[in-house]
Amino acid sequence: MKEHILKELTEIIRETFEGGLPGQGTQYLDHNSGIYPTMDSLTAQQASYSWNGIPSIASHIRHMKFHLNVVVEWMQGQQHKRDWLASFKPYEVTEEEWQQLKTDFEETRRAFFEQVSKLSEEEVLEDMGHGTVAHLAYHLGAIRQLMHLVPKEVQDV
């Protein structure tokens, strides 16, 4: 049963990060709506755009990376208080920071899967990964909506 649950969890997280596979159904409306295709479609300037002081796309990505790190630490028994609001800051990134955030995010995803694979069947059944999918999907949806707020002059860079 653990293998079945891990297979399903792995696939939905893969799709959340990479998007749907050609010719197959998707859990999302758009096959290219995964985190990576979305990030790859944006420049650092676009990802840094903040409308009326709300968190930017880059800050949502930073927060999702933070969340995955926290989940890994939680599974390792490190259950201390964290500053969730600070995980969104800073809102702006340079081109180099944007590229590094993408790299770091992938490393965090790999660490998450490595940790999940070490869980017992009972721990997997306790929802150590499904809540993570919901959290990532929420922020992915927020990012996809924020993309519509980036002004034309920022979009054309």
Side-chain angles (χ1 to χ4, degrees):
M1 176 177 248
K2 174 185 172 183
E3 288 75 26
H4 177 72
I5 292 170
L6 286 178
K7 182 180 176 187
E8 287 183 14
L9 177 64
T10 300
E11 177 52 27
I12 189 64
I13 291 180
R14 186 213 54 76
E15 187 175 337
T16 301
F17 276 87
E18 299 171 17
L21 296 173
Q24 294 186 10
T26 176
Q27 298 298 322
Y28 296 94
L29 294 176
D30 177 0
H31 276 77
N32 289 326
S33 66
I35 295 167
Y36 292 152
T38 298
M39 290 173 70
D40 289 343
S41 73
L42 299 167
T43 65
Q45 185 177 7
Q46 292 166 328
S48 296
Y49 180 76
S50 177
W51 182 75
N52 284 347
I54 62 172
S56 68
I57 291 168
S59 63
H60 277 273
I61 297 293
R62 186 176 285 113
H63 172 76
M64 290 191 305
K65 179 183 150 310
F66 174 84
H67 175 256
L68 279 177
N69 276 325
V70 168
V71 171
V72 169
E73 291 172 358
W74 183 270
M75 288 187 277
Q76 294 171 341
Q78 301 173 33
Q79 300 173 3
H80 57 285
K81 188 175 173 116
R82 292 161 179 90
D83 190 348
W84 288 90
L85 290 178
S87 72
F88 284 94
K89 296 183 179 168
Y91 286 6
E92 295 182 2
V93 290
T94 65
E95 203 58 54
E96 295 79 26
E97 291 168 335
W98 183 232
Q99 294 307 316
Q100 187 63 53
L101 184 55
K102 291 180 191 183
T103 299
D104 293 348
F105 199 33
E106 173 57 19
E107 289 174 10
T108 304
R109 175 176 85 147
R110 288 181 188 184
F112 169 75
F113 277 124
E114 183 179 320
Q115 191 62 42
V116 167
S117 71
K118 296 176 184 177
L119 296 176
S120 68
E121 186 166 324
E122 294 78 30
E123 290 169 320
V124 170
L125 293 173
E126 287 177 3
D127 196 30
M128 290 303 268
H130 295 85
T132 301
V133 172
H135 191 94
L136 292 170
Y138 168 84
H139 286 284
L140 176 57
I143 289 167
R144 300 291 296 182
Q145 291 302 307
L146 288 171
M147 290 172 68
H148 298 288
L149 298 175
V150 177
K152 180 90 173 109
E153 58 273 10
V154 175
Q155 292 178 4
D156 288 339
V157 247

